[in-house]
């Protein structure tokens, strides 16, 4: 009888390397079993154990819930801080201050309604966006944005007076309606400036939120709930076009961005004894402006990024949270999360497991 050959030692060592024992309690990978039905909460709870970006999505839900659950009375040695007492607050009432940043395309998209919900119920404390993130909200109160297609030809759309934002279409007539609405407001703002009002971009957004007086608007609710909105590049969009046109019709209106950088940085610097949390949808200016403000308090305590951008080109938009740690914009002992994905998909799922479940307690 022929003797059975054994696996050569070189193969044994190369392919069959013995495994180390996994630490006790290490999560195992297992996705949602649809034999258990269609259950959003169950599916979302399974994300942590699904792997890939699903696990990052689950981690982001946990990080947001950490922001929402934090109270000052949980901190050792901080049972009765003078700052809380001077404001008439008890330590258990002092919550984490949440900064929400988002790019303009998300307001063009249906994420606008998700952001409006958070502001309507005062579940976030500071907003930061780009110019399009301001104007598109107001324009949608006047006329709709339409579903289109990424492959529509620009030359054809231009001839039809249709502007494409990804797979969404905004007719030129929407911007005409916006101009008709905003020009008289700018005239009034100039008159009030001449009588002593000192305008900043955030004060302008506050005023426009009052003037729009529409419950679908993010900035109507920001006005109603005194949620500050910072937009240091307010001129970089249709609003800038309107301000430019206004310099010909009725020149002299001034917006002070220096006053706003003082106010924005103070939002973070003066937050203690509160902790701060940042939620960044996309990248660009809103991301950096919020993170840089948190540098003034030696970093945010909680952070969630949602972005499709990658870090290999060195852009701030693609940078992982750990880069912000190196700058002091996120605390070294924080547990930040980045989800690589489209915020129009990821953010409503996160809201469903965080803010929406705590709206009665937080509002």
């Amino acid at each position: 009888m022929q003797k059975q050959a054994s696996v050569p030692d070189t193969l044994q060592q190369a392919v069959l390397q013995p495994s180390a024992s996994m630490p006790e309690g290490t999560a195992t990978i297992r996705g949602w079993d649809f034999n258990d039905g269609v259950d959003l909460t169950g599916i979302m709870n399974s994300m942590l154990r699904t792997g890939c970006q699903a696990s990052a999505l689950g981690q982001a839900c946990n990080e947001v819930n950490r922001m929402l659950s934090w109270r000052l009375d949980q901190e050792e040695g901080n049972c009765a801080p003078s700052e809380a007492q001077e404001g008439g607050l008890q330590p258990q009432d002092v919550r984490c201050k949440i900064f929400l940043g988002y790019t303009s395309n998300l307001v063009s998209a249906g994420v606008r309604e998700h952001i409006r919900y958070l502001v309507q119920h005062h579940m976030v404390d500071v907003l930061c966006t780009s110019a399009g993130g301001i104007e598109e909200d107001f324009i949608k109160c006047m006329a709709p944005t339409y579903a289109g297609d990424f492959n529509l030809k620009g030359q054809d759309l231009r001839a039809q007076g249709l502007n494409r934002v990804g797979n969404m279409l905004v007719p030129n007539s929407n911007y005409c309606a916006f101009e008709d609405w905003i020009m008289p407001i700018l005239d009034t703002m100039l008159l009030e400036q001449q009588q002593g009002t000192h305008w900043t971009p955030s004060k302008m957004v506050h005023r426009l939120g009052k003037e729009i007086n529409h419950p679908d608007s993010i900035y109507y609710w920001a006005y109603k709930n005194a949620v500050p909105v910072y937009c240091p590049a307010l001129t970089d969009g249709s609003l800038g076009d309107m301000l430019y046109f206004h310099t010909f019709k009725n020149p002299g209106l001034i917006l002070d961005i220096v006053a706003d950088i003082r106010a924005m940085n103070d939002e973070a610097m003066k937050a203690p004894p509160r902790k701060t949390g940042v939620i960044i949808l996309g990248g660009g200016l809103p991301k950096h402006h919020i993170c840089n403000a948190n540098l003034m308090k030696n970093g945010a305590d909680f952070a969630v990024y949602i972005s499709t951008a990658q870090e290999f080109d060195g852009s701030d938009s693609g940078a992982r949270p750990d880069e912000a740690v190196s700058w002091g914009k996120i605390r070294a002992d924080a547990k930040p999360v980045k989800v690589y994905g489209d915020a129009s998909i990821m953010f409503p799922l996160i809201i469903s497991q965080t803010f929406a479940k705590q709206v009665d307690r937080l509002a």
Side-chain angles (χ1 to χ4, degrees):
M1 183 174 181
Q2 187 177 6
K3 184 178 179 180
Q4 186 174 2
S6 62
V7 175
D9 289 344
T10 54
L11 291 181
Q12 184 83 21
Q13 294 169 7
V15 180
L16 302 177
Q17 176 71 22
S19 299
S21 298
M22 296 297 293
E24 186 175 352
T26 300
T28 57
I29 296 298
R30 183 177 175 84
W32 174 253
D33 185 347
F34 281 94
N35 287 312
D36 294 331
V38 180
D39 175 3
L40 177 60
T41 296
I43 293 168
M44 290 299 295
N45 286 342
S46 76
M47 290 293 175
L48 276 171
R49 295 179 58 189
T50 298
C52 300
Q53 287 306 298
S55 291
L57 180 61
Q59 291 163 4
C61 290
N62 286 351
E63 180 75 346
V64 172
N65 278 326
R66 289 178 65 222
M67 299 182 200
L68 299 181
S69 65
W70 183 85
R71 292 291 186 276
L72 187 64
D73 62 348
Q74 299 169 345
E75 296 288 302
E76 288 187 25
N78 279 332
C79 293
S82 60
E83 295 93 334
Q85 291 179 325
E86 289 170 4
L89 297 173
Q90 295 301 312
Q92 63 269 22
D93 298 324
V94 181
R95 302 202 307 239
C96 174
K97 187 173 192 176
I98 299 179
F99 294 72
L100 175 63
Y102 47 93
T103 48
S104 65
N105 58 312
L106 298 175
V107 178
S108 298
V111 181
R112 176 217 190 197
E113 280 63 46
H114 310 147
I115 297 168
R116 187 266 303 152
Y117 168 79
L118 298 182
V119 180
Q120 177 182 357
H121 295 285
H122 206 169
M123 292 188 283
V124 292
D125 302 289
V126 181
L127 301 180
C128 183
T129 188
S130 55
I134 303 295
E135 64 210 21
E136 293 298 325
D137 175 73
F138 295 127
I139 290 169
K140 280 186 165 183
C141 294
M142 304 167 197
T145 295
Y146 295 92
D149 190 280
F150 284 102
N151 295 315
L152 293 174
K153 192 173 180 180
Q155 184 177 3
D156 295 340
L157 293 175
R158 179 63 177 165
Q160 299 173 66
L162 299 174
N163 306 285
R164 183 170 67 85
V165 182
N167 59 354
M168 300 168 283
L169 297 174
V170 187
N172 273 345
S173 57
N174 290 22
Y175 296 100
C176 295
F178 180 56
E179 181 177 5
D180 292 341
W181 174 74
I182 200 170
M183 282 300 177
I185 300 173
L186 297 180
D187 288 337
T188 301
M189 288 174 58
L190 176 57
L191 179 61
E192 293 176 12
Q193 176 184 293
Q194 293 165 345
Q195 296 170 347
T197 299
H198 188 86
W199 292 107
T200 66
S202 63
K203 288 180 180 178
M204 181 178 181
V205 176
H206 181 82
R207 177 58 171 270
L208 296 178
K210 175 183 178 182
E211 296 288 346
I212 197 67
N213 194 27
H214 197 298
D216 284 350
S217 169
I218 296 169
Y219 307 112
Y220 166 75
W221 289 106
Y223 159 73
K224 291 276 287 185
N225 290 330
V227 175
V229 183
Y230 295 99
C231 182
L234 190 65
T235 56
D236 187 31
S238 181
L239 259 172
D241 297 343
M242 299 304 116
L243 290 166
Y244 174 63
F245 297 155
H246 193 258
T247 65
F248 293 98
K249 298 178 179 180
N250 193 4
L253 184 63
I254 297 171
L255 300 177
D256 183 356
I257 64 170
V258 176
D260 257 10
I261 191 62
R262 171 65 183 266
M264 177 62 170
N265 288 353
D266 280 355
E267 297 285 357
M269 186 186 72
K270 296 182 178 180
R274 302 170 81 178
K275 291 187 182 293
T276 59
V278 305
I279 301 172
I280 311 292
L281 311 180
L285 181 147
K287 178 184 180 184
H288 185 267
H289 208 54
I290 286 176
C291 290
N292 196 70
N294 276 271
L295 169 62
M296 306 303 158
K297 65 171 287 290
N298 200 30
D301 301 277
F302 309 99
V304 169
Y305 294 176
I306 306 174
S307 176
T308 57
Q310 306 287 325
E311 68 173 344
F312 61 81
D313 60 359
S315 66
D316 185 67
S317 291
R320 294 181 295 113
D322 192 60
E323 183 173 304
V325 172
S326 78
W327 288 86
K329 297 171 183 177
I330 296 175
R331 291 184 61 87
D333 58 357
K335 299 177 181 178
V337 179
K338 178 173 181 178
V339 184
Y340 290 87
D342 183 341
S344 69
I345 301 169
M346 301 296 185
F347 195 48
L349 292 174
I350 290 173
I351 290 173
S352 76
Q353 302 305 302
T354 56
F355 295 101
K357 290 194 169 184
Q358 301 193 47
V359 61
D360 292 336
R361 182 176 67 84
L362 295 171

